[in-house]
Every structure is written in structure tokens, then in C-alpha cells.
């Protein structure tokens, strides 16, 4: 039986182990599409999985990796045929379904999105789940009614994957972007992405007041915890914050004051089980509204053999922008 290269995670006496090894094709899970994986990426959740820092993986053995871009090799699904270029993000890949850090994947055809015209597989994974999540947040803010005329928007964790793409997209759409980061040395990088202002995350790290000075009309938060509580307390009347991450913690030490006294909305963003129609819209918008030159500038390429080591760095906040993983 054929084997292929993959990053395999196994249960250990204490926690989990991760290693680049040969995986038996017979162990692939059910699905009506077989894909030759060409590119993946490294997201915060991938870092948690390969380091074992959080119980992301729910079955063993597991192939890590929550997103991929590649070419359909075999299909029994009516919408797909061999040779089609596809993108797959979420749906439990790398958690409950064998994932993307492998030369082969077998998934459900209903999970796939066609690679947008003009976007290469590498560019799609330079965007990856992080960039896709950022665009879902932008779409949610637009649905709420936010526009550049409403006032500034804030992006937390701005030098990371979600934050970098959110900053670039919002700036291109005409927003005055306030980028919050714990790495003020990245100020020039963030301004090159389009940020009008860069603030230290310490401004948002103290215990939140029920209501603070109104500073922004909306925002994209990938940090959670006290940071999100501060964002909400400083949001202008009728504004909204799109929450999509928990790098700072899962708690939310806030109050009802922003919601009942300023009409602020907290918009929850989920990229894992996101409906297909919304996925297609997000990818179409990314192909249109994300500056490819800026995307190239924020992208760093690694091989499969570097993923595990880089997983620790992304958790430590030592990764700027996006990392693409070359599979073959």
C-alpha cells in the first residue's frame, strides 16, 4: 500500500507527540474527494496542535494542518473532477479529520471551494485560515453597517496572521486603521500594510472600565480576554467588534454597559463550520480586496520539516504575517 509524507500526531503517556513521517494511505478517512496537496499554512491553531499546548486534536493518529490548497486527484462528487484547483479550510481538519500537512488528503466535496480566478494555490495559503477569518470579520462588520465614514477601526494582534490581513484589507477599503500590537518594533511593517496608527497592546491590557472613552467605530479582535473587554468599552455608539481569536485567553471580563448604553454589538466569527455560500463570498472578496503585493511582502515560506519548530514560535508571538508551507 502506498505511503506519503505527513506530520503525524500521536497520543503519548503525557500529552502528544508530533513527527514528520510516512503515513499509510489505507489509514485515510472517508471522503468523496482525494486531493494532491500542494500548499498549506501555519495558523495559531496549528501551533497548538503540533506542540500539544492545547487539546486541539480529538482523534489519534492525526495528520496536523487545518487548511490546504491543491488539485483534485479523484472524485465521486458531482461538483468536482480531477484537475480542479481547490481550497479547503476548517471542517475539523487537523482536529477530528485527518488534515493538511501531508502530500495527500481525502475530504468531503462539500467542504471545498474553487480556487478563485487569478489566485495561485500558494497565494491562497498565504491567506489561509487566518486571512479567511479576517475577511469573515470584515464581512460581518459590513453587514452590521460599518463604513469608513463611521470612524476609525481597531485591529488587535495586528502583526499576526489574522491581524496582518485584516489591517491590509480594511486599509484598502478606505478605513482609518488603528493597529494594536505587543511588538512596537513592527510599527513600520504595520504602516506599510496601511495602518494609520500603531498603538501598544498595553493600552488595552488593564482591567476594562464599564465604559471608556469612545475611540473606534469597530474592530477585529483575535486576542480575547481583557483586550476584547477594553475594545468593547471604547467602541463608539452603535459600533461593533468582530471577535475571532483567543490568543490572550478565553475569558471576557466585561460588563453589559457597552451593549445597553451604547448599543455596541459583539460579532462572533467562526471559520470552521462557516456555511459554503459565505465561504465563497469571502474568498471572492479576498481575491478582489487584498493587495497581492502586500500579501507577498508579509509571506514567509517553509517546508514540512520546519512546521513543528515554527509551531512554538507562532505561540510565542514571534511570527510576523503569514507562513506558507510547501508540501511538494
Amino acid at each position: 500500500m502506498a505511503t506519503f509524507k505527513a506530520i503525524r500526531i500521536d497520543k503519548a503517556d503525557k500529552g502528544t507527540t508530533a513527527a514528520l513521517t510516512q503515513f499509510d494511505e489505507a489509514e485515510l478517512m472517508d471522503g468523496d474527494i482525494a486531493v494532491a496537496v500542494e500548499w498549506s499554512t501555519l495558523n495559531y491553531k496549528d501551533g497548538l496542535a503540533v506542540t500539544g499546548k492545547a487539546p486541539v486534536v480529538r482523534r489519534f493518529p492525526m495528520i496536523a494542518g487545518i487548511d490546504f490548497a491543491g488539485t483534485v486527484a479523484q472524485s465521486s462528487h458531482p461538483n468536482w473532477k480531477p484537475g480542479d484547483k481547490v481550497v479547503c479550510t476548517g471542517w475539523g481538519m487537523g482536529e477530528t479529520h485527518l488534515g493538511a500537512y501531508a502530500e495527500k488528503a481525502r475530504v468531503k466535496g462539500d467542504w471545498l471551494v474553487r480556487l478563485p480566478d487569478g489566485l495561485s494555490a500558494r497565494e491562497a495559503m498565504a491567506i489561509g485560515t487566518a486571512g479567511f477569518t479576517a475577511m469573515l470579520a470584515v464581512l460581518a462588520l459590513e453587514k452590521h453597517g460599518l463604513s469608513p465614514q463611521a470612524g476609525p477601526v481597531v485591529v488587535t494582534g495586528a502583526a499576526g496572521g489574522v491581524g496582518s490581513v485584516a489591517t491590509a484589507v480594511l486599509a484598502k477599503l478606505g478605513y482609518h486603521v488603528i493597529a494594536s500590537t505587543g511588538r512596537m518594533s513592527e510599527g513600520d511593517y504595520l504602516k506599510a500594510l496601511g495602518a494609520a496608527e500603531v498603538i501598544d497592546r498595553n493600552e488595552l491590557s488593564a482591567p476594562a472600565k464599564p465604559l471608556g472613552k469612545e475611540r473606534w467605530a469597530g474592530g477585529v479582535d483575535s486576542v480575547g480576554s481583557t483586550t476584547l473587554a477594553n475594545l468593547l468599552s471604547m467602541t463608539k455608539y452603535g459600533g461593533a467588534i468582530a471577535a475571532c481569536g483567543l490568543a490572550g485567553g478565553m475569558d471576557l471580563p466585561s460588563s453589559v454597559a457597552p451593549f445597553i448604553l451604547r448599543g455596541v454589538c459583539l460579532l462572533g466569527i467562526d471559520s470552521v463550520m462557516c456555511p459554503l455560500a459565505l465561504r465563497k463570498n469571502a474568498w471572492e472578496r479576498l481575491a478582489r480586496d487584498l493587495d497581492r503585493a502586500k500579501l507577498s511582502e508579509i509571506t514567509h515560506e517553509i517546508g514540512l520539516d520546519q512546521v513543528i519548530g515554527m509551531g512554538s514560535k507562532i505561540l510565542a508571538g514571534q511570527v510576523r504575517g503569514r507562513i506558507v508551507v510547501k508540501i511538494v
Side-chain angles (χ1 to χ4, degrees):
M1 181 61 68
T3 61
F4 55 89
K5 283 194 304 183
I7 293 180
R8 176 177 171 140
I9 299 178
D10 286 289
K11 191 76 173 174
D13 291 338
K14 294 183 178 179
T16 61
T17 61
L20 178 59
T21 185
Q22 290 292 315
F23 200 89
D24 194 325
E25 191 170 340
E27 292 189 69
L28 284 175
M29 298 170 69
D30 290 341
D32 47 15
I33 301 287
V35 177
V37 181
E38 297 158 12
W39 294 92
S40 186
T41 184
L42 183 70
N43 301 284
Y44 191 85
K45 185 182 286 187
D46 295 314
L48 292 173
V50 298
T51 61
K53 295 293 185 183
V56 170
V57 177
R58 307 296 176 84
R59 77 174 297 276
F60 299 94
M62 175 56 64
I63 295 176
I66 65 173
D67 47 11
F68 67 71
T71 303
V72 173
Q74 295 176 308
S75 172
S76 59
H77 191 283
N79 293 349
W80 303 104
K81 64 183 187 303
D84 286 342
K85 299 291 186 179
V86 296
V87 177
C88 190
T89 63
W91 300 116
M93 284 197 305
E95 300 175 74
T96 58
H97 191 94
L98 296 177
Y101 292 153
E103 294 174 307
K104 297 181 181 180
R106 186 181 295 140
V107 297
K108 295 180 180 180
D110 291 341
W111 294 355
L112 302 177
V113 173
R114 196 172 302 278
L115 184 69
D117 290 340
L119 200 66
S120 70
R122 186 184 189 277
E123 288 173 327
M125 285 299 98
I127 295 168
T129 289
F132 171 63
T133 302
M135 181 53 78
L136 290 177
V138 173
L139 292 173
L141 291 170
E142 290 179 344
K143 185 177 181 180
H144 177 76
L146 191 69
S147 68
Q149 292 70 41
V153 292
V154 63
V155 176
T156 63
V162 174
S164 293
V165 176
T167 298
V169 169
L170 288 166
K172 186 176 180 182
L173 292 173
Y175 288 90
H176 180 103
V177 179
I178 302 172
S180 167
T181 180
R183 295 174 277 170
M184 291 301 289
S185 59
E186 300 286 17
D188 290 342
Y189 163 79
L190 292 168
K191 288 183 177 179
L193 288 180
E197 302 176 49
V198 180
I199 63 173
D200 195 302
R201 70 179 175 199
N202 289 334
E203 292 188 33
L204 304 172
S205 63
K209 298 176 180 178
L211 288 177
K213 180 181 177 181
E214 294 177 89
R215 296 181 64 177
W216 31 72
V220 177
D221 175 60
S222 60
V223 179
S225 192
T226 303
T227 295
L228 178 54
N230 276 290
L231 292 196
L232 292 166
S233 76
M234 300 177 189
T235 299
K236 294 183 177 184
Y237 189 92
I241 300 295
C244 58
L246 46 62
M250 291 187 70
D251 61 320
L252 181 55
S254 183
S255 76
V256 299
F259 309 115
I260 66 173
L261 297 178
R262 287 185 182 160
V264 171
C265 287
L266 177 58
L267 309 174
I269 307 300
D270 167 57
S271 64
V272 177
M273 305 304 290
C274 174
L276 190 57
L278 183 54
R279 288 175 184 270
K280 291 178 179 178
N281 185 23
W283 279 104
E284 288 167 2
R285 286 288 302 273
L286 283 161
R288 187 180 80 201
D289 293 333
L290 180 58
D291 187 310
R292 303 294 174 76
K294 285 188 170 66
L295 179 64
S296 177
E297 289 169 6
I298 69 174
T299 302
H300 174 64
E301 181 180 318
I302 64 174
L304 263 181
D305 59 338
Q306 296 171 276
V307 167
I308 296 172
M310 196 63 72
S312 298
K313 291 186 177 182
I314 197 169
L315 298 188
Q318 297 171 355
V319 170
R320 169 206 277 185
R322 302 291 296 125
I323 293 178
V324 291
V325 180
K326 184 174 176 59
I327 304 298
V328 292

